[in-house]
Amino acid sequence: MLGDYRCEANPVQQFAEECLVGAASGGGMPAKDLFAVYSRWCAAHGHAHGTSIGFGRALSNLGFQSRKSSYTIWLVTLSSGAEAYQAS
C-alpha cells in the first residue's frame, strides 16, 4: 500500500515503469529527447514535468545510468508504452 502511494506520488517512477527499458550495449537516448517524451507524458497524465535537472536526478535515484559525451545520454530506450508520447 505504501509502495503504491510512493509510485503515485512519483511521476518519474510511473513514467519509467510505463515507458522505459534498459538500452542494449552501446545504446541510449539523449537527455533532451528523453525529457521531451517525459514532458508529453506528464501533460497527458496531469503532472507538472518540473526541470530536466530534477528529472535526471530522479532517474538516477531510481537506478538508471547515464554517460556523458558532449551531452548526457541515458542508457535507456523507449518501450512500446511510450509510443503515444513521441514526437511525430
Side-chain angles (χ1 to χ4, degrees), residues 36-37 40 78 82-88:
V37 174
R40 288 189 289 276
L78 297 174
E83 288 177 9
Y85 314 111
Q86 296 180 56
S88 314

Side-chain angles (χ1 to χ4, degrees), residues 11-71:
V12 176
Q13 182 177 353
Q14 289 177 302
F15 170 76
E17 289 175 358
E18 181 180 338
C19 299
L20 299 181
V21 293
S25 179
M29 187 168 190
K32 68 178 183 68
D33 296 343
L34 185 58
F35 185 68
V37 174
Y38 172 68
S39 296
R40 288 189 289 276
W41 180 91
C42 284
H45 289 84
H47 296 291
H49 58 72
T51 66
S52 61
I53 292 171
F55 174 65
R57 286 182 182 147
L59 284 177
S60 292
N61 289 340
L62 291 172
F64 290 96
Q65 296 182 356
S66 64
R67 63 181 162 84
K68 305 260 188 215
S69 58
S70 57
Y71 52 89

